[in-house]
């Protein structure tokens, strides 16, 4: 598609339950990024993929969070045993591959998934 | 209801006036800077970008200024319209597909 799609729009989980969020990048884009936004404030980078390979996971909490981008499937972000502080809006962004290492590739953002942990 | 950003700086401007939103960035090695607009319930929307080898770039009704000496970025919106009401974020990054580092947002409120 021509827009980044994220599902579900809203997700409510009890503390300790699992949450799984999905992202379909723009067709033809090779890179996928996940960001967490708490209270409409700053964005925190979590992880990025180049096709199905993890590209950068420096922002990813080592425990409880995992992510995948498998061929011919939406990318996913999964939180095991959610905690109250996981409540946030999770944004996915995608960008295309550039032939030049020096160029910047614009990241296009999806509408986000609002996760509420009760 | 939806949570609102706490402690977000707010700029209120009269419709038709010019708006200036400021941002201090953190990494002197960053070479790309982007301004995003985020409306309620939506993802960030690209407005304008600038590379570190420039100090000014103009788009339609928007201008971005970059001062690398003091690590400062500003967004100027000419003839502000009610549709410009949103939260604005600056972001910095390096070339390629590196993650964006976002600054704190500024809420722009346009008074009709």
């Amino acid at each position: 598609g021509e827009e980044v799609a994220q599902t579900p729009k809203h997700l409510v989980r009890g503390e300790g339950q699992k949450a799984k969020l999905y992202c379909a990048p723009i067709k033809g884009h090779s890179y996928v990024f996940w960001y967490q936004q708490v209270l409409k404030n700053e964005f925190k980078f979590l992880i990025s993929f180049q096709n199905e390979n993890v590209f950068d996971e420096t922002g990813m909490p080592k425990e409880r969070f995992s992510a995948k981008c498998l061929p011919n499937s939406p990318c996913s972000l999964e939180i095991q045993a959610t905690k109250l502080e996981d409540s946030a809006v999770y944004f996915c962004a995608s960008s295309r591959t550039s032939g030049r290492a020096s160029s910047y590739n614009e990241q296009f953002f999806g509408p986000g998934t609002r996760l509420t942990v009760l | 209801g939806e949570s609102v950003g706490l402690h977000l700086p707010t700029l209120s401007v009269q419709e038709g006036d010019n708006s200036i939103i400021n941002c201090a960035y953190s990494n002197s090695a960053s070479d790309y800077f982007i301004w995003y607009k985020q409306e309620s319930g939506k993802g960030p929307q690209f407005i304008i970008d600038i590379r570190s080898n420039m100090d000014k770039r103009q788009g339609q009704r928007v201008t971005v200024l970059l001062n690398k000496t003091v690590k400062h970025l500003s967004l100027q919106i000419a003839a502000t319209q009610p549709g410009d009401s949103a939260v604005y974020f600056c972001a910095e990054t390096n070339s390629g597909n590196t993650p964006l580092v976002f600054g704190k947002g500024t809420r722009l409120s346009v008074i009709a």
Side-chain angles (χ1 to χ4, degrees):
Chain A
E2 294 192 8
E3 291 182 338
V4 176
Q6 289 190 249
T7 55
K9 190 174 174 66
H10 300 281
L11 190 57
V12 179
R13 288 289 179 264
E15 204 172 4
Q17 291 185 317
K18 185 173 72 174
K20 196 164 186 178
L21 293 61
Y22 297 92
C23 167
I26 293 172
K27 190 176 180 181
H29 282 192
S30 305
Y31 288 86
V32 170
F33 302 79
W34 285 99
Y35 296 89
Q36 177 195 57
Q37 186 186 31
V38 178
L39 291 176
K40 288 191 69 70
N41 242 320
E42 293 175 57
F43 294 79
K44 179 192 171 192
F45 166 72
L46 296 175
I47 190 169
S48 63
F49 288 83
Q50 180 181 13
N51 297 311
E52 61 267 25
N53 303 307
V54 174
F55 188 68
D56 183 342
E57 57 181 347
T58 52
M60 196 72 156
K62 295 302 179 189
E63 302 169 354
R64 303 188 300 110
F65 282 64
S66 62
K68 293 179 187 176
C69 278
L70 299 175
N72 303 313
S73 297
C75 295
S76 63
L77 176 69
E78 189 168 341
I79 309 172
Q80 302 285 344
T82 52
K83 296 184 177 181
L84 296 177
E85 65 254 33
D86 298 332
S87 294
V89 181
Y90 291 82
F91 287 100
C92 172
S94 71
S95 65
R96 61 173 62 91
T97 300
S98 167
R100 294 178 298 157
S102 61
S103 66
Y104 168 71
N105 301 306
E106 182 184 340
Q107 294 181 25
F108 295 82
F109 282 79
T113 292
R114 176 176 297 280
L115 172 65
T116 301
V117 180
L118 303 174
Chain B
E2 186 178 82
S3 297
V4 294
L6 300 178
H7 311 302
L8 268 182
T10 299
L11 175 66
S12 295
V13 297
Q14 204 73 34
E15 182 180 0
D17 286 353
N18 297 334
S19 304
I20 300 177
I21 300 170
N22 296 303
C23 174
Y25 65 91
S26 56
N27 188 353
S28 54
S30 294
D31 58 11
Y32 257 112
F33 305 88
I34 311 102
W35 280 100
Y36 283 94
K37 173 186 181 183
Q38 187 180 26
E39 295 175 286
S40 185
K42 295 184 178 179
Q45 178 189 356
F46 173 92
I47 301 173
I48 192 168
D49 61 358
I50 188 168
R51 297 184 69 160
S52 59
N53 60 354
M54 302 170 71
D55 52 23
K56 180 179 180 179
R57 189 160 187 234
Q58 286 186 289
Q60 190 176 18
R61 279 203 310 121
V62 293
T63 301
V64 56
L65 298 177
L66 174 63
N67 184 332
K68 294 181 288 293
T69 304
V70 295
K71 293 192 286 186
H72 184 268
L73 199 63
S74 69
L75 175 70
Q76 300 177 3
I77 304 174
T80 314
Q81 302 167 0
D84 295 328
S85 293
V87 179
Y88 289 80
F89 291 89
C90 66
E92 60 183 296
T93 189
N94 294 310
S95 302
N97 289 286
T98 52
L100 297 168
V101 176
F102 285 83
K104 295 186 190 298
T106 296
R107 185 183 304 281
L108 176 64
S109 181
V110 181
I111 306 161

